[in-house]
Amino acid sequence: MSKAIHPTTIKLRNNHCGHAVELWRKNTPIDRTIFHVGVAAHYVLEMIGKNPDESLMSIAWQCAEQLATNGRAYDGVPEPPMPADKALEGTRMAIKYAEKNEIPTGDNIFHEMAFAFDKDWNQVEYNCEESVFQTLLDVVEIHEEYDEESDSVYRNVIVRDYKSSWAADADELDSFQRRCQAVVAWLVLKPDILTMEIANVRFHRTYTREINCYHQEDELQQWFEDIKFNIKVLQQSTTPDPGVGCVGCQYVHVCEHADQAFQGEDLLKKYSVAKALTAKLAPQVRKLTKSEPLKCGAGYIGYKDKERMLVKEDAGTLLAEKWNEQGGDALSMLSQMELGLTTIKKLAKILCESPTERRELIEALTQSETYSSFGMHK
């Protein structure tokens, strides 16, 4: 049975190369350590939503115990138990989020809602043999709402995606994965309004984008065509392309083509694969050497105590007093200081309550410039 394509499969191909997809199809094992906390938080929130009559704390700790002792099955694939500390961290993150943000339950509210389609885009059972494209949505709410102005009822479908990443913000609302979620909800649930949400579980922030399915039908149709094109590409034979795409690839450490590139004569490819392997192995090396540096050849790898200069908390006050003693005022003192962008943003946050006013002040105080930055770019 051929594996159905997911939005993440398309992302894997576009960010890395076709051979990464081949390794995914073969169920090549990957290091899932970096996903553990997020997986735990997602699972706890899912179970809270699916069991509204049970105590939040009871469900959360049952989930934590299961993840640390038996693991779970995701997308039909069993996953091994995760380290207890990661299960606890993700569980506590989910508990804090659920205590401050209502987890919706009730009629027409679905957690981990499955969508699957065959080659002709007929809806089929998730993980069935005919499934060509499929995805799971964290939370889907279907609301029939009344509009007084038009004296009519319209359907508002809310699609919420939980994110535990430090970097998850409003930019996620226009990612390819989010477009896939919008398209499947549009095709199946026939909404008038689609409300796409990113819920940052770590920082308790929610970012929202509203799509009017009548006025923006052409845009949704274009996204649909993009998905179909990407699926067609993935169904063709692929050519390995080791290089910059190796960076961040979850299969680089087991990829024969990356290894061949590293052993080859192309300096740029060797450099790219070396950077990719370093980035991939760094978290494991840090964990291995966390308690003490370990000997490696003629030296050691690990953490070493160093000293650095830090500004004391009362430095600003003492400096201002010294400046006043010399007859200077605050404005002349400020003119002698080099204001950095971080300081300007901090002061703007204090001075301006409105985000719009704050943004306008920062724009008035800053300007962009072009500079050369060495590295690998996509």
Side-chain angles (χ1 to χ4, degrees):
M1 172 182 169
S2 177
K3 292 179 72 174
I5 291 167
H6 296 247
T8 50
T9 317
I10 297 172
K11 182 180 177 182
L12 185 66
R13 168 68 178 79
N14 292 340
N15 287 357
H16 306 293
C17 82
H19 188 64
V21 176
E22 293 305 314
L23 293 172
W24 167 79
R25 285 195 171 108
K26 294 175 182 177
N27 293 322
T28 305
I30 61 172
D31 177 16
R32 299 193 60 82
T33 304
I34 61 172
F35 304 118
H36 283 153
V37 174
V39 166
H42 275 72
Y43 184 56
V44 170
L45 291 173
E46 175 193 348
M47 291 297 103
I48 290 172
K50 288 182 175 179
N51 299 277
D53 296 329
E54 293 187 36
S55 151
L56 183 156
M57 298 301 288
S58 174
I59 295 172
W61 293 117
Q62 286 176 34
C63 291
E65 183 176 344
Q66 178 187 339
L67 291 169
T69 55
N70 301 315
R72 64 157 194 173
Y74 180 74
D75 210 18
V77 180
E79 294 181 350
M82 66 175 62
D85 60 333
K86 300 300 182 184
L88 286 171
E89 184 180 346
T91 297
R92 290 190 175 113
M93 184 188 298
I95 289 172
K96 288 180 180 179
Y97 179 84
E99 287 176 338
K100 294 184 179 180
N101 300 270
E102 181 183 0
I103 307 301
T105 59
D107 295 338
N108 292 324
I109 294 176
F110 307 90
H111 295 266
E112 289 293 298
M113 190 175 188
F115 294 81
F117 304 87
D118 66 13
K119 62 182 179 61
D120 298 314
W121 286 92
N122 300 305
Q123 193 174 9
V124 294
E125 288 294 318
Y126 195 85
N127 272 342
C128 75
E129 191 170 340
E130 293 78 22
S131 178
V132 171
F133 179 80
Q134 60 188 36
T135 188
L136 292 167
L137 306 191
D138 289 342
V139 184
V140 175
E141 302 180 32
I142 304 173
H143 300 281
E144 304 294 337
E145 300 178 357
Y146 175 69
D147 179 46
E148 292 185 2
E149 187 174 333
S150 63
D151 190 27
S152 61
V153 175
Y154 66 94
R155 173 171 287 188
N156 180 19
V157 173
I158 300 172
V159 177
R160 183 173 301 110
D161 196 39
Y162 292 129
K163 291 292 182 185
S164 57
S165 166
W166 294 88
D169 58 17
D171 290 342
E172 290 278 353
L173 290 168
D174 196 38
S175 69
F176 185 79
Q177 183 182 14
R178 220 65 53 233
R179 292 182 179 188
C180 291
Q181 292 175 348
V183 167
V184 299
W186 173 58
L187 290 174
V188 175
L189 303 177
K190 311 297 182 186
D192 298 296
I193 299 293
L194 261 173
T195 303
M196 308 299 295
E197 289 186 2
I198 294 294
N200 188 312
V201 180
R202 190 178 295 274
F203 296 122
H204 305 172
R205 295 172 187 158
T206 300
Y207 305 95
T208 303
R209 177 185 185 182
E210 187 175 281
I211 300 172
N212 185 307
C213 298
Y214 176 75
H215 294 299
Q216 295 173 260
E217 184 177 358
D218 289 346
E219 188 172 12
L220 287 163
Q221 186 63 44
Q222 183 60 61
W223 295 350
F224 186 23
E225 297 302 321
D226 291 346
I227 295 169
K228 290 192 283 188
F229 176 80
N230 277 280
I231 291 173
K232 186 176 181 180
V233 169
L234 285 172
Q235 290 171 334
Q236 311 301 315
S237 58
T238 59
T239 302
D241 186 25
V244 173
C246 294
V247 177
C249 179
Q250 55 201 13
Y251 298 106
V252 66
H253 62 300
V254 293
C255 177
E256 59 179 307
H257 302 286
D259 184 59
Q260 289 170 6
F262 186 68
Q263 302 298 332
E265 299 300 321
D266 188 316
L267 181 61
L268 295 181
K269 288 189 175 183
K270 288 168 70 79
Y271 176 80
S272 297
V273 174
K275 292 283 284 187
L277 288 170
T278 301
K280 184 72 178 176
L281 295 173
Q284 299 171 49
V285 174
R286 289 193 185 99
K287 183 177 181 181
L288 183 65
T289 60
K290 187 175 182 179
S291 57
E292 62 177 348
L294 297 178
K295 188 170 178 56
C296 182
Y300 292 83
I301 295 177
Y303 294 91
K304 179 181 178 181
D305 291 338
K306 293 185 175 181
E307 287 192 5
R308 60 185 175 188
M309 300 294 288
L310 295 175
V311 176
K312 294 181 178 179
E313 289 185 6
D314 60 348
T317 302
L318 294 173
L319 202 56
E321 290 175 355
K322 191 69 175 176
W323 192 265
N324 286 332
E325 289 175 7
Q326 302 296 325
D329 57 24
L331 188 59
S332 62
M333 178 180 171
L334 191 62
S335 68
Q336 299 299 314
M337 300 172 68
E338 291 188 11
L339 279 178
L341 186 57
T342 302
T343 302
I344 287 176
K345 287 182 176 180
K346 185 176 181 180
L347 291 172
K349 191 173 183 179
I350 296 171
L351 294 169
C352 307
E353 292 185 6
S354 162
T356 302
E357 185 183 356
R358 190 183 311 146
R359 184 173 60 253
E360 290 174 351
L361 178 59
I362 292 172
E363 288 176 356
L365 297 172
T366 60
Q367 61 184 10
S368 63
E369 69 172 9
T370 302
Y371 67 99
S372 180
S373 173
F374 176 79
M376 293 180 288
H377 314 285
K378 294 183 182 180

